[in-house]
Amino acid sequence: MKIAVIGTGMVGRAVAGRLASLGHDVVIGTRNVERTLGRTDPEHTGASPYAEWHRNNLDVRLVPFADAGSHGEIIVNATNGAVSLQALAAVGADNLAGKVLIDIALPLDRSETPPMLLVANTDSLGEQIQRAFPQARVVKTLHTVLADIMVDPARLPGNHNIFLAGEDEAAKNMTKELLREFGWRDEVIIDLGGIKGARRSEMYMPLFFALTSALGTYEFNIAIVKG
Amino acid sequence: MKIAVIGTGMVGRAVAGRLASLGHDVVIGTRNVERTLGRTDPEHTGASPYAEWHRNNLDVRLVPFADAGSHGEIIVNATNGAVSLQALAAVGADNLAGKVLIDIALPLDRSETPPMLLVANTDSLGEQIQRAFPQARVVKTLHTVLADIMVDPARLPGNHNIFLAGEDEAAKNMTKELLREFGWRDEVIIDLGGIKGARRSEMYMPLFFALTSALGTYEFNIAIVKG
């Protein structure tokens, strides 16, 4: 499929690279192509400069936000959650209309260590995006694990779970199909219902980040254990 | 040990009954003993009237809040989180001073279905209790699972995790000892650090309640799966 990943950070790269390796026609959208390719310092997350990743992933084209929006039959929001609404506005409401918009972003409040959330309990980023782009078919998923695990759950042993939420059943089914391509088996995908479920899965993240400290690693996920 | 459980609901009963069966000297504290014993209708949670439970658990004495506070060397807050601060005030700040106060309560906003939280992200019930009773040694734990699992984790197969948070290391160690008596092995107990960790584990609960719907059961927990 033609897929546009919005965001050039670690999550965007992991998802775009994996989708391309699965045979999809993938672009990454950025605000300013020249500037993104011109950066030489590592990112604040510790990621290498984009140009370095780009050289090893030439099948993924880097294009301006609006071009990404027109390319993608599916749009993946992998931007910094603090600026997702602006980035998606630049992608273009018209480009998002009617399309599946997979939202992986996190509205992190980095003034806390480990981070807390910029929005929680009474709202969520997933819901904000659905409200801002009512014609997009938003599905919130994948944000509860490290980027490398999002696209390759077999990095961890045994069963562990991933959540999704959204209003549009067909959009959720298309998203599940991509999750299956990444390696998430049907029985580990948990549907939290409508987009309000985004609030619930985003609110798990403060615990997730505390666990990264307690466990000393980001390479983990949670598994539901039933009686 | 002499332990006072505050709260006559399902959580209070489960914890008090289990502690008594382990040989501890346990009281349950309530606002009005006569009224609690006189109720004949099932509780809003579906629990049977207290008097019925009481007849089967005569080794657990029901006493007024303040008497519970003076009895307990360890105090367990198993009240409805919406009224925990008032209940603990009735137990008595003097009775809480210097003691381990294990906080299991949840500040649930039941106007949402499944419930959300009355306080989140910028504060938590565990932190509110520690601030209101600065001489108590608050440890937040056990609130992330069904009452029956709190006191008997072996109801679920294999490894699954429980969290604790609090400022006082000795209080956390005493709490861990009780967790071990319940059946939580050391390797599944995850210390989230200071009492601010309560915020993180309480914020997992909206996901927990959505999962009860998605899974069709409360009989589950999460297990950390590491790479």
Side-chain angles (χ1 to χ4, degrees), chain A residues 156-216:
Chain A
L156 301 179
N159 276 352
H160 51 97
N161 294 94
I162 201 78
F163 310 105
L164 88 178
E167 298 297 324
D168 185 307
E169 291 303 319
K172 285 200 278 196
N173 285 333
M174 287 178 70
T175 303
K176 276 187 198 170
E177 184 50 44
L178 288 183
L179 294 181
R180 278 190 288 264
E181 290 185 35
F182 288 164
W184 297 98
R185 285 171 303 99
D186 265 333
E187 61 264 38
V188 302
I189 303 173
I190 298 182
D191 188 338
L192 299 175
I195 191 62
K196 210 166 173 180
R199 199 182 296 187
R200 298 171 185 277
S201 54
E202 289 179 16
M203 285 176 76
Y204 156 67
M205 298 314 288
L207 178 60
F208 172 89
F209 286 107
L211 290 173
T212 66
S213 300
L215 303 171

Side-chain angles (χ1 to χ4, degrees), chain A residues 94-113:
Chain A
D94 287 353
N95 285 328
L96 297 174
K99 291 184 188 165
V100 176
L101 172 53
I102 299 175
D103 175 31
I104 309 184
L106 284 176
L108 296 184
D109 175 1
R110 295 190 178 278
S111 70
E112 298 273 349
T113 306

Side-chain angles (χ1 to χ4, degrees), chain A residues 17 22-23 31 34 36 43 89 92 110 115 121 124 145 165 169 172 181 190 208 225 227:
Chain A
L22 289 165
R31 187 168 298 279
E34 255 88 85
T36 299
E43 306 209 347
R110 295 190 178 278
N121 205 44
S124 64
V145 291
E169 291 303 319
K172 285 200 278 196
E181 290 185 35
I190 298 182
F208 172 89
V225 176

Side-chain angles (χ1 to χ4, degrees), chain B:
Chain B
M1 292 193 78
K2 291 183 168 188
I3 302 179
V5 176
I6 312 302
T8 58
M10 292 200 290
V11 173
R13 295 178 202 179
V15 171
R18 178 77 155 128
L19 286 169
S21 77
L22 288 165
H24 294 286
D25 177 6
V26 183
V27 302
I28 290 188
T30 190
R31 188 168 297 278
N32 183 315
V33 169
E34 255 88 87
R35 210 167 54 202
T36 298
L37 287 174
R39 283 192 209 111
T40 53
D41 293 335
E43 307 210 345
H44 74 280
T45 56
S48 59
Y50 184 82
E52 199 173 308
W53 183 84
H54 186 63
R55 280 193 294 276
N56 298 317
N57 292 271
L58 291 174
D59 48 349
V60 177
R61 300 186 307 289
L62 185 70
V63 301
F65 280 148
D67 293 359
S70 57
H71 171 87
E73 296 165 320
I74 291 179
I75 314 281
V76 178
N77 174 35
T79 58
N80 172 345
V83 298
S84 288
L85 290 168
Q86 295 99 299
L88 292 172
V91 170
D94 286 353
N95 284 328
L96 298 173
K99 292 184 187 165
V100 176
L101 173 53
I102 299 176
D103 176 31
I104 307 182
L106 284 175
L108 295 184
D109 176 0
R110 294 189 178 278
S111 69
E112 298 273 349
T113 305
M116 296 295 300
L117 298 175
L118 296 169
V119 54
N121 206 43
T122 54
D123 204 356
S124 65
L125 180 61
E127 291 166 273
Q128 289 178 332
I129 290 173
Q130 183 63 85
R131 284 201 307 275
F133 304 98
Q135 293 187 279
R137 302 152 70 199
V138 179
V139 180
K140 185 92 197 190
T141 192
L142 286 176
H143 55 292
T144 53
V145 291
L146 180 72
D148 292 345
I149 297 171
M150 292 178 188
V151 299
D152 185 13
R155 287 175 72 100
L156 302 179
N159 277 351
H160 51 98
N161 294 95
I162 200 78
F163 310 105
L164 87 178
E167 298 297 324
D168 186 307
E169 291 303 319
K172 286 200 278 196
N173 284 333
M174 285 177 72
T175 302
K176 276 187 198 169
E177 184 51 43
L178 287 183
L179 294 180
R180 277 190 290 265
E181 290 185 35
F182 288 164
W184 297 98
R185 285 170 303 99
D186 265 334
E187 60 264 40
V188 302
I189 303 173
I190 298 182
D191 188 339
L192 298 175
I195 191 63
K196 211 167 172 179
R199 199 181 296 187
R200 300 171 184 277
S201 55
E202 289 178 16
M203 285 176 75
Y204 155 68
M205 298 316 287
L207 178 60
F208 172 89
F209 286 107
L211 290 173
T212 66
S213 300
L215 302 171
T217 179
Y218 281 79
E219 290 260 355
F220 71 93
N221 190 13
I222 52 173
I224 306 292
V225 177
K226 282 196 284 188

Side-chain angles (χ1 to χ4, degrees), chain A residues 144-157:
Chain A
T144 52
V145 291
L146 180 72
D148 292 345
I149 297 170
M150 291 178 190
V151 299
D152 185 11
R155 288 175 71 100
L156 301 179

